[in-house]
Amino acid sequence: MSELRADTISASNGTSPVTLTKQSAAKAWSNHNMSGTSARASFNIASYTDNGAGDHSITVTSAFGSANYCWSYGGKRASGDGTNCFDVAVIRSVDPTSTVTRHSVKDHDSTSDVDAEHLCVTFMGDLA
């Protein structure tokens, strides 16, 4: 059996990232607490912006080819609130760009703006 080990894989020009073909892999994902600006774990995420209670922006490191990528969110309120992982509603509140998506998180019970303790997001689409 062969083994391949590498620290970095780049396109043949040596500077561009490798293009994923014949795959529908997530191009970015994150698990973070909305009351802060850092993640527990993430991939291809440059930064988070806290715009206020329940209002959050995520900037990806590698831009998408357009603003027409797909996203999926799930979240949980603060510790002790709710009984399951999907007790907040996430809606896109501002049109995305190829690098930034901004969203609003609402409490399912009260419909008030709330920072999720656990917000998980996955982005799918073609990178630039």
Side-chain angles (χ1 to χ4, degrees):
M1 176 176 252
S2 298
E3 182 176 329
L4 175 65
R5 293 181 182 205
D7 291 323
T8 303
I9 299 176
S10 60
S12 59
N13 67 7
T15 59
S16 301
V18 173
T19 301
L20 294 175
T21 58
K22 299 184 185 206
Q23 294 183 18
S24 294
K27 301 307 189 306
W29 59 266
S30 176
N31 175 341
H32 64 282
N33 184 328
M34 286 182 65
S35 63
T37 55
S38 62
R40 290 178 187 85
S42 67
F43 172 71
N44 192 27
I45 302 294
S47 64
Y48 306 89
T49 303
D50 186 349
N51 303 305
D55 185 356
H56 208 67
S57 298
I58 299 175
T59 302
V60 295
T61 303
S62 298
F64 285 92
S66 74
N68 297 322
Y69 51 90
C70 182
W71 57 271
S72 175
Y73 289 93
K76 180 184 182 307
R77 291 179 285 191
S79 295
D81 290 344
T83 58
N84 60 58
C85 285
F86 300 99
D87 54 4
V88 295
V90 181
I91 56 174
R92 184 171 277 163
S93 59
V94 175
D95 287 339
T97 68
S98 62
T99 56
V100 179
T101 185
R102 185 171 175 176
H103 53 271
S104 176
V105 176
K106 306 281 187 189
D107 183 288
H108 267 301
D109 297 332
S110 68
T111 66
S112 62
D113 295 331
V114 62
D115 283 342
E117 178 186 355
H118 287 273
L119 188 67
C120 298
V121 58
T122 304
F123 296 95
M124 305 289 280
D126 295 328
L127 296 177

